[in-house]
Amino acid sequence: MTANTDIRYLKGVGAKRAEILKGKGIDTVGALLRFFPRKYLDWTDITAVKDALPNQNVCIKAKIATPIETVETRRGITLYKFIASDKTDRFAVTLFNQRFLAEKLKYGCEYLFYGKFDENLILRQMNSPIIKEVSFNRIEPIYNASKNMSSATIQKLVKTALSTVEMPEVLNNKIRTENRLCDINYALWNIHFPKTRDSFEMAKKRLVFEELFCLQTALSVLKTKSHSLSGCVIKNNCFSEFQKMLPFELTDAQKRVVEECICDMRSGRPMSRLVQGDVGSGKTAVAAALCFVAAKNGYQSALMAPTEILAEQHYKTFCSILKNTGINCALLTGALTQKQKTQVKNQLNNGEIDVIIGTHALIVNDVEFNNLGLVITDEQHRFGVAQRGKLAEKGNNPHTLVMSATPIPQTLAHILYGDLDISIIDMYPKGRQKVDTYCVDSSYRQRIYNYIKKFLNQGRQGYIVCPLVEENEELDLTSATEYYEDLKKNEFKDYSLGLLHGKMKPAEKEEVMQKFARGEILLLISTTVIEVGIDVPNAVIMVIENAERFGLSQLHQLRGRIGRGEFKSDCILISDSKSPETQKRLDIIKQNSDGFKIADYDLNLRGPGDFLGNRQHGIPQMRIADIFADKNVLITAKKYAEYVLNQDPTLSSPENKPLKDEVKEIYKKLNQC
Ligand code: ADP
Ligand code: MG
């Protein structure tokens, strides 16, 4: 049995469990070993009862000081109650319906209790603690369990796997010695079953390094051939000609960024540049300027957007800006008929089309260009690194530009996006409407509905955003689906409503968004999937339910959907959370409109792990590393990745075989995210 053995063949697994594990992304024994615990319960770290703070998890070692009393409640719940004590104090324990556990416990014996005390001052109270024999003095791993597979089961399987296979070593001796990293098998044992806190730290350090090292190796291999010569040198700088055609004056920031790009495009090397600009900063006009310049110099350009609706939106914008210039724009998306597609492809091939705007449809194999000189990807975090490269391969070292509204600290962007240079649009177009933001609790709901109706009656549109798709019984959160049904039947029965969430098929989502863009839907009930970059200037109101559930950057991105037209726009955040932290966070959103500033606060308040929420950066989700907190490791790992690739560019030596396998895995994920 090796790391690559199908998980089904691990002792204790079988067909049914294999199915469940595969659902968690665990296909092989090796993948199981890299399924790390979500958290740990430290049964070695004992707190004295008198020192325990309320509402914090503690481990207590105490004797059961009274016989266990059984109480039947009227609602049919059986309670088991007793008093326990250590040398410092007593506390009351209540178990709910846990008969097996209660029958095992013996009056007068000592146990370990893991749980939280409530704030009762007279006699501390612990409800449903986890209880273990005192001999259980170890650090226990807790795994992401599911309904049909408990953490304890996963724990057992991991132990079997650890004793059955030796994992191959991805980090060679030199790297391990120079960075003081333990070997892989020690690391895996101690990340799952830490002997001590120190051995856990050793294990974690090594696994973080390994993960970032493999990521960097994968990214380096993918890096486009940016040091070769470009065949697409821009000789004629006709930017001023472009500016004259525009219905508005570009901001100084837009002009600077275009000039930076043109400078690259004249240099004789292919441009590789990332443009970061907050929502609404006007990235599309920058893209249009560069396509214009490329076309005037005889080169074709391609602009790739993540969705059909965004592609169509860009197409319309480009057509209106570039009309009367003789520059020929076209659209290529999955929505075209076969015949239309064939026609567009022919015209691309023979050079009749100067600027092509499209979706993933652009990277299909049979799309061929005549003279592709410039490749732009919009909302780049929505594309895998690999996809970007694929489009560029269709030209002869074309210039590439990626545009993103996700504010990533610069140093990090440099590392994550390899060789990209960075330009920032740090200014908004004049006359942009400031969005007023209000924070209220749900007692205002009726008033909010009336407020929304006032706008809808004037012909404006709006959004209501909820955190979840389906009802969740544990957390009292508003779900988009139920909310939509309810509003449609009752409060908003006279209005055209739409529902949008991530579990819908892409085509269904697209259709709803189209209807909203055309004004056929007035009020859109949605989860956070509302398209980044969508421009519906008629939408002027956004209500966000359970606002405390969203990250600051996420709230900011959402809010960027409104305030895009001539009308005054309002954003209303609803939250019943009384926690001072929540209030502070919502205040920040209320008082700030600068995405980079908000991102900074976000980073500080939430901790780096959550910063970008759901994989907004086009980098696969990390298992253990945190690209923000572990930034320094990332920099070191990059150095070593380059070193290894210098020695063995194709990773074909036997020593590098395990690394090559890992890199292949990362490609798969890069292509998915
Ligand atoms: P984003 O950077 O979020 O992609 P867009 O390119 O969609 O922003 O631009 C947002 C809106 O601002 C569009 O309606 C666009 O026409 C307008 N706009 C862009 N640049 C300017 C400018 N310099 N002056 C006035 N309006 C502008
Ligand atoms: Mg945009």
Side-chain angles (χ1 to χ4, degrees), residues 46-97:
I46 310 255
T47 305
V49 178
K50 79 167 173 24
D51 296 335
L53 296 173
N55 298 322
Q56 275 181 15
N57 278 317
V58 284
C59 179
I60 303 284
K61 188 175 180 179
K63 236 184 215 144
I64 298 185
T66 61
I68 296 168
E69 181 192 355
T70 310
V71 183
E72 301 282 346
T73 70
R74 264 180 298 164
R75 291 168 134 203
I77 299 170
T78 311
L79 306 180
Y80 301 92
K81 290 169 162 271
F82 57 87
I83 303 284
S85 69
D86 69 0
K87 288 196 185 85
T88 66
D89 206 349
R90 294 148 51 87
F91 61 101
V93 177
T94 306
L95 305 175
F96 298 83
N97 281 342

Side-chain angles (χ1 to χ4, degrees), residues 248-251 254 277-285 379 429-430 535 564:
F248 45 72
E249 158 115 31
L250 290 176
T251 63
Q254 284 170 314
D278 205 356
V279 280
S281 60
K283 293 184 286 296
T284 318
E379 304 301 347
K430 266 201 238 77
D535 197 23
R564 297 189 145 242

